[in-house]
Amino acid sequence: MSEVKVVALIKANPEHRAAVDKAVRAMVAPSRSEPGCIQYDLHEEQGHPGAFVFIERWTSEQALKEHMAMPYHDAFLAELEGKLVSLEVKKLTQL
C-alpha cells in the first residue's frame, strides 16, 4: 500500500471564524490518534485569519477512508455547514 497525502483548505465566513477555529482545532488530537495517521497538522494562513490548512499523511487509501468514516469527522463537517466561504480537499502525488 502506498502513503496518501492530503491538503484540506478551509476558509471561514468572517462572522463564523471563532466557531470554525474551535472546530478545526478539535479535529487534531483524535485524528492524530488514528492508527493510519502519519501526520495531521493544522495551520492558519499568515495574514488571512480564518483561512485554515490541514496537511495530512495517511498510511494508505484505506486509512484515509477510515478517517473520513469516523463519527467525529461527520460531526466536524456538520459543524462547518453554513459557516464556510470554501472547503477544498486535495489528494496529492509526489513527483
Side-chain angles (χ1 to χ4, degrees):
M1 292 190 199
S2 67
E3 185 179 303
V4 178
K5 296 173 182 83
V6 176
V7 173
L9 309 167
I10 298 172
K11 186 170 182 184
N13 280 318
E15 66 271 17
H16 296 294
R17 189 168 53 213
V20 173
D21 183 276
K22 182 178 177 182
V24 296
R25 288 174 189 267
M27 281 296 290
V28 176
S31 298
R32 284 181 178 166
S33 71
E34 292 180 43
C37 181
I38 299 169
Q39 176 185 6
Y40 197 90
D41 295 329
L42 173 63
H43 305 270
E44 187 171 34
E45 187 178 347
Q46 291 182 4
H48 299 277
F52 302 99
V53 179
F54 283 109
I55 298 175
E56 309 172 26
R57 290 172 48 220
W58 299 91
T59 56
S60 65
E61 184 69 34
Q62 182 61 35
L64 176 60
K65 286 179 184 176
E66 290 171 10
H67 166 67
M68 293 171 59
M70 291 289 180
Y72 60 83
H73 189 274
D74 291 340
F76 170 67
L77 293 177
E79 177 65 27
L80 296 181
E81 195 166 321
K83 297 177 180 157
L84 302 181
V85 172
S86 61
L87 169 62
E88 292 181 70
V89 178
K90 302 174 184 242
K91 284 201 246 180
L92 307 175
T93 301
Q94 186 172 349
L95 302 178

